Amino acid sequence: MKTSILRRFFRGAPVTAVLCLLIVGVWLVTALQSGSINTREAPLTIDGFLFGPLVVDGEPQRLLSNMFIHLDLGHMAMNTFMIALIGRELERYLGSVLFLAVYVLSGLGASYAVVEMNPLVPTAGASGALYGLMAVLVGSAVKTRGDVMAPLTLLAVNLGYTILSTGVSLWGHLGGLATGAVLAVVLLPNSKKLRYGGTVAVGIVVLGLLVRYVETGGV
């Protein structure tokens, strides 16, 4: 019964389902490693969180791996819940390939903002990618002339939480949001070529910034 419900929920959104499974699976491994729902000290967490000096010291994979690392049960559960809700709608609208590109590029954009602006603070979580999804959700509502206020309100509430809360990665959220906002613009045309071409162009810029950061040692 539960499997059937999940299949119906994620119908037409296989990438969203896989991303949620990966996030939950990684957290379960870290919980088993640490013997606690607080997974900050788990070996996988230590090997995967984002930290500027480690990135430039030969561990650039942290720019990506941190997107699947969460520090406690609440952190993981909230991000997974939001990705499941927003992701399935966006994936059905964009298609799986473009949706995956939006998710990964928003997460990488968040990682770049963190290592550029706040490199000495360890960071982890899918929130940066999630903020990118929220920005694209607003763009999709504008394009389809749907209810723009609902996704805008969701985004505003989350931004307010980011600004008012401590222990939250402001630059990660802003970096993911900025990347998502650019992607929302390039995804507005009806032309499939323009949408894919624009997404590739954003990807080249994001990857170029990350390569430059790594090669210059963050200078």
Side-chain angles (χ1 to χ4, degrees), residues 23-24 27-28 70-81:
I23 290 170
V24 173
W27 181 82
L28 285 173
H70 290 84
L71 304 180
D72 56 53
L73 177 60
H75 187 210
M76 180 278 295
M78 182 56 69
N79 278 348
T80 305
F81 176 72

Side-chain angles (χ1 to χ4, degrees), residues 135-153:
V136 175
L137 186 66
V138 173
S140 70
V142 170
K143 182 179 178 180
T144 60
R145 299 187 180 182
D147 181 7
V148 179
M149 286 306 300
L152 272 178
T153 301

Side-chain angles (χ1 to χ4, degrees), residues 38-59:
N38 186 331
T39 55
R40 294 173 184 270
E41 302 302 322
L44 188 58
T45 300
I46 294 171
D47 289 340
F49 71 83
L50 183 61
F51 189 59
L54 292 177
V55 169
V56 298
D57 195 32
E59 299 185 44

Side-chain angles (χ1 to χ4, degrees), residues 73-117:
L73 177 60
H75 187 210
M76 180 278 295
M78 182 56 69
N79 278 348
T80 305
F81 176 72
M82 293 293 289
I83 290 168
L85 287 181
I86 297 174
R88 69 170 187 163
E89 300 303 322
L90 275 183
E91 186 173 356
R92 290 167 181 169
Y93 168 69
L94 295 172
S96 295
V97 173
L98 281 178
F99 169 74
L100 180 60
V102 167
Y103 185 89
V104 172
L105 290 177
S106 296
L108 291 176
S111 292
Y112 174 72
V114 169
V115 296
E116 190 67 64
M117 303 302 297

